[in-house]
């Protein structure tokens, strides 16, 4: 028995020793999977999925699950995101949708737990530096590719329709990425180091691209709010005033003289017309959104506490809304989407996630605090006009930024 005990103990010690030897390699491999995820999210859904699978595999092989209790005690952000994902799983049990549809929607919200999987591979040096370089690289490629497509369209090198935008992803998604990258570039330029000119060029190119190449209204609104945030973070009261004044002058000139401002002006006009009419005008982008929000609020009023369950939104919306040519799979508002499915409890968890992000930024100092605050502003504004975590590209992009 003593000999058997010694053999067992030696075998365990050998296994532990082997694990400690390969764990750094597994962590490095996980970091490369995270880099692949950050690099491919703006461009390829397939590669993003592959990177996510690799990330989870290396997370399991490196036994990061052992550190979950400590991680969740220290970091409420990934913990609340995990709880919200669990709530979506619980929502399957009482959903009015089919099991297949409910399970599909749960899969759509996997980005909530992706934050947990990412953290070990992007927060320690040199992993963090590599991840930031990957984010900058992906953003620059997104910007350059947009200009390349613009020139291809302009010189009729490729066929396109008037609805096509010179961007790899949709106008909304692209403008989201570029508005935040402009904010990020402004902070890096404010350091006034040897790369000052490089970051200034990227900032100006991002602003030009956002307003004159791929004019997404959500991204433009986000940029204007980030401009105010940047001013409050970096400038004195006089500087804040001058910065906001300069932004206001630019916006007035843009709306008054640029043909690229047509979508913004149409948005104001369509919103005004919608509220002046007794009919649901779904012929415009804003009309569709306002109609979605109205009938979604009716759904929430029916079952405010627990909602209709995970994956139920599309079916329940069709039940109460007049049939149109375009019936939504989501209300283009994450707050409403979560509440309609999970009720007030789900909404409180989502608000708790946002509040914990805000509290976490207060623990940071300098540029990391400012950038994290920018991520939070972008997340809140985008969630008002889109279903952020339901959307594949945006959800993965935010998961990466929150983990960073």
């Amino acid at each position: 028995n003593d000999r058997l005990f010694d053999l067992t103990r030696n075998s365990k010690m050998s296994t532990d020793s082997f694990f400690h030897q390969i764990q750094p390699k597994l962590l490095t491999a996980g970091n490369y999977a995270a880099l692949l995820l950050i690099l491919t999210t703006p461009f390829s859904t397939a590669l993003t999925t592959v990177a996510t699978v690799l990330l989870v595999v290396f997370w399991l092989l490196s036994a990061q699950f052992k550190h979950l209790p400590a991680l969740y005690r220290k970091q409420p952000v990934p913990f609340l995101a995990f709880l919200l994902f669990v709530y979506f799983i619980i929502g399957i049990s009482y959903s009015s949708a089919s099991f297949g549809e409910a399970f599909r929607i749960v899969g759509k919200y996997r980005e909530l737990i992706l934050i947990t999987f990412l953290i070990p591979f992007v927060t320690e040096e040199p992993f963090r530096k590599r991840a930031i370089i990957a984010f900058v690289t992906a953003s620059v490629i997104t910007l350059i590719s947009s200009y390349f497509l613009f020139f291809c369209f302009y010189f009729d090198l490729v066929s396109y329709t008037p609805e096509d935008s010179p961007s790899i992803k949709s106008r909304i998604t692209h403008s989201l990425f570029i508005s935040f990258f402009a904010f990020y570039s402004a902070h890096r330029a404010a350091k006034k180091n040897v790369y000052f000119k490089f970051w200034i060029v990227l900032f100006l190119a991002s602003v030009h691209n956002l307003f004159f190449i791929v004019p997404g209204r959500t991204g433009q609104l986000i940029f204007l709010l980030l401009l105010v945030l940047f001013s409050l973070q970096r400038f004195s009261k006089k500087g804040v005033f001058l910065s906001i004044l300069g932004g206001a002058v630019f916006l007035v000139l843009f709306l008054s003289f640029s043909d690229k401002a047509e979508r913004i002006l149409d948005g104001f006009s369509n919103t005004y017309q919608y509220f002046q009419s007794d009919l649901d005008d779904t012929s415009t982008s804003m009309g569709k959104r306002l109609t979605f929000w109205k009938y979604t609020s009716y759904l929430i009023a029916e079952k405010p506490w627990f909602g209709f369950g995970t994956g139920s939104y599309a079916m329940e919306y069709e039940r109460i809304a007049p049939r149109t040519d375009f019936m939504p799979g989501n209300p283009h508002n994450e707050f409403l989407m979560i509440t309609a499915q999970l009720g007030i409890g789900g909404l409180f968890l989502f608000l708790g996630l946002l509040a914990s992000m805000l509290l976490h930024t207060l623990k940071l100092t300098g540029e990391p605090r400012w950038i994290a605050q920018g991520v939070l502003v972008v997340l809140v504004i985008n969630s008002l006009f889109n279903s952020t975590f339901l959307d594949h590209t945006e959800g993965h992009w935010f998961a990466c930024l929150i983990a960073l």
Side-chain angles (χ1 to χ4, degrees), residues 1 77 80 114 161 197 213 271 280 308 316 327 366:
N1 288 338
V77 173
L80 287 169
L114 182 59
T161 64
K197 294 181 180 179
I213 304 298
T271 301
D280 297 326
F308 290 89
E316 296 297 337
M327 298 299 285

mmCIF file of all heavy atoms in Angstrom, residues 1 77 80 114 161 197 213 271 280 308 316 327 366:
data_model
loop_
_atom_site.group_PDB
_atom_site.id
_atom_site.type_symbol
_atom_site.label_atom_id
_atom_site.label_comp_id
_atom_site.label_asym_id
_atom_site.label_seq_id
_atom_site.Cartn_x
_atom_site.Cartn_y
_atom_site.Cartn_z
ATOM 1 N N ASN A 1 0.824 -1.212 0.000
ATOM 2 C CA ASN A 1 0.000 0.000 0.000
ATOM 3 C C ASN A 1 0.862 1.268 0.000
ATOM 4 O O ASN A 1 0.553 2.231 -0.682
ATOM 5 C CB ASN A 1 -0.912 0.007 1.222
ATOM 6 C CG ASN A 1 -2.026 -1.016 1.096
ATOM 7 O OD1 ASN A 1 -2.365 -1.424 -0.001
ATOM 8 N ND2 ASN A 1 -2.591 -1.427 2.229
ATOM 9 N N VAL A 77 -17.574 42.922 -13.926
ATOM 10 C CA VAL A 77 -18.026 43.084 -15.315
ATOM 11 C C VAL A 77 -18.211 41.725 -16.005
ATOM 12 O O VAL A 77 -19.297 41.431 -16.515
ATOM 13 C CB VAL A 77 -17.071 43.994 -16.112
ATOM 14 C CG1 VAL A 77 -17.467 44.014 -17.590
ATOM 15 C CG2 VAL A 77 -17.089 45.411 -15.554
ATOM 16 N N LEU A 80 -21.170 39.750 -14.286
ATOM 17 C CA LEU A 80 -22.524 40.164 -14.631
ATOM 18 C C LEU A 80 -22.866 39.790 -16.073
ATOM 19 O O LEU A 80 -24.014 39.435 -16.373
ATOM 20 C CB LEU A 80 -22.682 41.666 -14.419
ATOM 21 C CG LEU A 80 -22.741 42.099 -12.954
ATOM 22 C CD1 LEU A 80 -22.627 43.614 -12.833
ATOM 23 C CD2 LEU A 80 -24.036 41.617 -12.303
ATOM 24 N N LEU A 114 -17.845 35.369 -23.806
ATOM 25 C CA LEU A 114 -16.552 35.494 -24.481
ATOM 26 C C LEU A 114 -15.641 36.449 -23.721
ATOM 27 O O LEU A 114 -14.409 36.296 -23.750
ATOM 28 C CB LEU A 114 -16.770 35.988 -25.917
ATOM 29 C CG LEU A 114 -15.534 36.124 -26.801
ATOM 30 C CD1 LEU A 114 -14.816 34.786 -26.937
ATOM 31 C CD2 LEU A 114 -15.933 36.655 -28.182
ATOM 32 N N THR A 161 -24.472 49.090 -56.402
ATOM 33 C CA THR A 161 -25.768 49.763 -56.413
ATOM 34 C C THR A 161 -25.683 50.984 -55.514
ATOM 35 O O THR A 161 -24.789 51.077 -54.668
ATOM 36 C CB THR A 161 -26.877 48.831 -55.908
ATOM 37 O OG1 THR A 161 -26.619 48.512 -54.534
ATOM 38 C CG2 THR A 161 -26.926 47.553 -56.726
ATOM 39 N N LYS A 197 2.290 62.730 -35.434
ATOM 40 C CA LYS A 197 1.784 62.955 -36.785
ATOM 41 C C LYS A 197 1.012 61.744 -37.299
ATOM 42 O O LYS A 197 -0.008 61.886 -37.992
ATOM 43 C CB LYS A 197 2.934 63.297 -37.733
ATOM 44 C CG LYS A 197 3.606 64.626 -37.425
ATOM 45 C CD LYS A 197 4.730 64.909 -38.413
ATOM 46 C CE LYS A 197 5.399 66.249 -38.110
ATOM 47 N NZ LYS A 197 6.528 66.530 -39.049
ATOM 48 N N ILE A 213 -17.365 59.599 -46.450
ATOM 49 C CA ILE A 213 -17.198 58.373 -47.237
ATOM 50 C C ILE A 213 -18.262 57.343 -46.878
ATOM 51 O O ILE A 213 -18.973 56.843 -47.745
ATOM 52 C CB ILE A 213 -15.786 57.766 -47.031
ATOM 53 C CG1 ILE A 213 -14.712 58.803 -47.366
ATOM 54 C CG2 ILE A 213 -15.615 56.522 -47.908
ATOM 55 C CD1 ILE A 213 -14.735 59.285 -48.801
ATOM 56 N N THR A 271 -38.480 61.452 -38.653
ATOM 57 C CA THR A 271 -38.939 61.362 -37.265
ATOM 58 C C THR A 271 -40.097 62.326 -37.010
ATOM 59 O O THR A 271 -41.104 61.964 -36.384
ATOM 60 C CB THR A 271 -37.776 61.670 -36.296
ATOM 61 O OG1 THR A 271 -36.714 60.747 -36.529
ATOM 62 C CG2 THR A 271 -38.240 61.556 -34.851
ATOM 63 N N ASP A 280 -48.331 54.037 -38.993
ATOM 64 C CA ASP A 280 -46.948 53.589 -38.822
ATOM 65 C C ASP A 280 -46.248 53.616 -40.175
ATOM 66 O O ASP A 280 -46.486 52.751 -41.032
ATOM 67 C CB ASP A 280 -46.908 52.164 -38.249
ATOM 68 C CG ASP A 280 -47.514 52.091 -36.868
ATOM 69 O OD1 ASP A 280 -47.372 53.064 -36.121
ATOM 70 O OD2 ASP A 280 -48.135 51.058 -36.545
ATOM 71 N N PHE A 308 -41.265 37.175 -22.530
ATOM 72 C CA PHE A 308 -41.827 36.027 -23.240
ATOM 73 C C PHE A 308 -40.825 34.892 -23.406
ATOM 74 O O PHE A 308 -41.145 33.879 -24.019
ATOM 75 C CB PHE A 308 -42.335 36.461 -24.619
ATOM 76 C CG PHE A 308 -43.569 37.319 -24.556
ATOM 77 C CD1 PHE A 308 -43.467 38.700 -24.456
ATOM 78 C CD2 PHE A 308 -44.831 36.752 -24.585
ATOM 79 C CE1 PHE A 308 -44.607 39.496 -24.404
ATOM 80 C CE2 PHE A 308 -45.977 37.537 -24.519
ATOM 81 C CZ PHE A 308 -45.860 38.913 -24.430
ATOM 82 N N GLU A 316 -43.593 36.923 -31.241
ATOM 83 C CA GLU A 316 -44.521 37.760 -30.481
ATOM 84 C C GLU A 316 -44.754 39.102 -31.170
ATOM 85 O O GLU A 316 -45.858 39.647 -31.117
ATOM 86 C CB GLU A 316 -43.984 37.975 -29.062
ATOM 87 C CG GLU A 316 -43.888 36.711 -28.234
ATOM 88 C CD GLU A 316 -45.239 36.061 -27.990
ATOM 89 O OE1 GLU A 316 -46.264 36.772 -28.067
ATOM 90 O OE2 GLU A 316 -45.280 34.846 -27.745
ATOM 91 N N MET A 327 -40.595 42.584 -41.433
ATOM 92 C CA MET A 327 -40.875 42.252 -40.035
ATOM 93 C C MET A 327 -39.543 41.979 -39.344
ATOM 94 O O MET A 327 -38.741 41.165 -39.820
ATOM 95 C CB MET A 327 -41.788 41.042 -39.945
ATOM 96 C CG MET A 327 -43.154 41.257 -40.583
ATOM 97 S SD MET A 327 -44.100 42.587 -39.823
ATOM 98 C CE MET A 327 -44.629 41.794 -38.309
ATOM 99 N N GLY A 366 -5.525 57.688 -15.881
ATOM 100 C CA GLY A 366 -4.941 58.133 -17.137
ATOM 101 C C GLY A 366 -5.676 57.627 -18.363
ATOM 102 O O GLY A 366 -6.894 57.478 -18.376
#
